[in-house]
């Protein structure tokens, strides 16, 4: 099989075929594309054919490649973690617009939020909590690979925070309603990273109830949530006693992040 024949493989998008082929060869996309007539060595062809078969079965490209870019950082991912989404970068932008010397990231997954914040605020104390031991292992490995010192803690939401208070708490918790039709397209990702009760708000209810006690006076709690959940999340934060509660829209104008101040 030549490079050109590989790129013409059916059932995957051309952009994905280029990524999978580059990964199978170990060279950059530009290098691979420069020699369309080149014959692929047998082991490269076998790796590529296997990747394409996985992609055709619906596996996300990030799991096949083993990494995903988030806020300019290359993060290792595997099926123990949610693949960080570009829309979550809004939460990082909002966090970095605030002044903080300490931050907690609840439900860190592969460490996306914690690592992006530590990368941009080297002097800050960054604590990251995760209930899944498998996910926390991925996050730890990402911290080591990037040389970013995050205090990784295993446990449920605020439980591992003890009596500590922070200048900022961020979370991108699971917020999909059980039985939601979109879950079919997310079958490769861990359900505990996605689903949160009948209306998708169970995790946010728990965080809204527990997190304010871990904020110093004037500190923000900022949460990502699903489309159409903003009014409910504002209500939960207001009932938890937070002030200046508001939501922020994503690039499509849809409110996807809500926060409040102690
Ligand atoms: C939507 S994912 C977000 C992962 C990562 N923060 C990101 O933005 O890519 C939610 C994460 O919360 C974790 N999680 C679910 N329930 C939890 C709980 N009770 N306590 C701590 N983490 C939890 C899941 O394992 C998952 O890693």
């Amino acid at each position: 099989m030549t490079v050109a024949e590989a790129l013409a493989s059916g059932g995957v998008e051309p952009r994905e075929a280029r990524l999978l082929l580059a990964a199978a060869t170990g060279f950059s996309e530009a290098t691979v594309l420069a020699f369309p007539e080149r014959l692929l060595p047998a082991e490269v062809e076998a790796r590529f054919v296997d990747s394409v078969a996985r992609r055709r079965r619906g596996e996300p490209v990030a799991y096949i490649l083993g990494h995903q870019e988030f806020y300019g950082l290359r993060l290792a991912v595997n099926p123990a973690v949610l693949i960080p989404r570009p829309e979550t970068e809004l939460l990082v932008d909002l966090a970095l617009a605030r002044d903080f010397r300490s931050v907690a990231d609840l439900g860190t997954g592969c460490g996306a939020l914690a690592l992006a914040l530590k990368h941009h605020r080297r002097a800050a104390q960054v604590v990251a909590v995760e209930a899944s031991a498998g996910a926390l292992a991925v996050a730890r490995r990402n911290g080591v690979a990037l040389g970013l010192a995050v205090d990784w803690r295993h446990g449920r939401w605020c439980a591992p925070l003890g009596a500590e208070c922070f200048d900022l708490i961020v979370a991108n918790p699971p917020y999909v309603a059980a039985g939601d039709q979109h879950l079919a397209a997310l079958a490769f990702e861990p359900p505990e990273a996605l689903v949160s009760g009948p209306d998708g708000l169970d995790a946010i209810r728990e965080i809204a109830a527990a997190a304010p006690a871990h904020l110093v006076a004037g500190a923000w709690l900022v949460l990502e949530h699903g489309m159409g959940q903003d009014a409910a999340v504002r209500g939960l934060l207001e009932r938890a006693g937070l002030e200046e509660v508001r939501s922020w829209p994503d690039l499509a104008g849809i409110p996807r992040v809500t926060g409040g101040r102690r």
Side-chain angles (χ1 to χ4, degrees), residues 68-75 84-86 88-97 112-113 115-117 119-120:
Q68 172 71 28
E69 181 152 316
F70 180 78
Y71 219 81
L73 301 177
R74 177 187 273 214
L75 301 175
R85 305 295 204 266
T88 302
E89 295 186 343
L90 171 62
L91 191 41
V92 181
D93 289 339
L94 291 165
L96 290 175
L113 291 169
L115 291 166
L117 295 176
H119 181 69
H120 288 275

Side-chain angles (χ1 to χ4, degrees), residues 153-175:
R153 300 190 192 173
H154 188 209
R156 286 182 58 82
W157 304 135
C158 296
L161 302 182
E164 287 166 80
C165 285
F166 294 84
D167 295 335
L168 175 67
I169 296 180
V170 296
N172 173 20
Y175 50 70

Side-chain angles (χ1 to χ4, degrees), residues 35-89:
F35 305 100
E37 74 292 345
R38 182 171 281 180
L39 206 56
L40 297 174
E43 70 277 12
V44 170
E45 180 176 334
R47 269 200 298 277
F48 175 72
V49 167
D50 176 61
S51 304
V52 167
R54 289 169 68 183
R55 184 67 194 119
R56 283 193 188 126
R57 288 195 291 272
E59 188 170 345
V61 172
Y63 287 154
I64 301 171
L65 298 177
H67 57 82
Q68 172 71 28
E69 181 152 316
F70 180 78
Y71 219 81
L73 301 177
R74 177 187 273 214
L75 301 175
V77 296
N78 69 24
V81 299
L82 182 102
I83 299 163
R85 305 295 204 266
E87 56 264 34
T88 302
E89 295 186 343

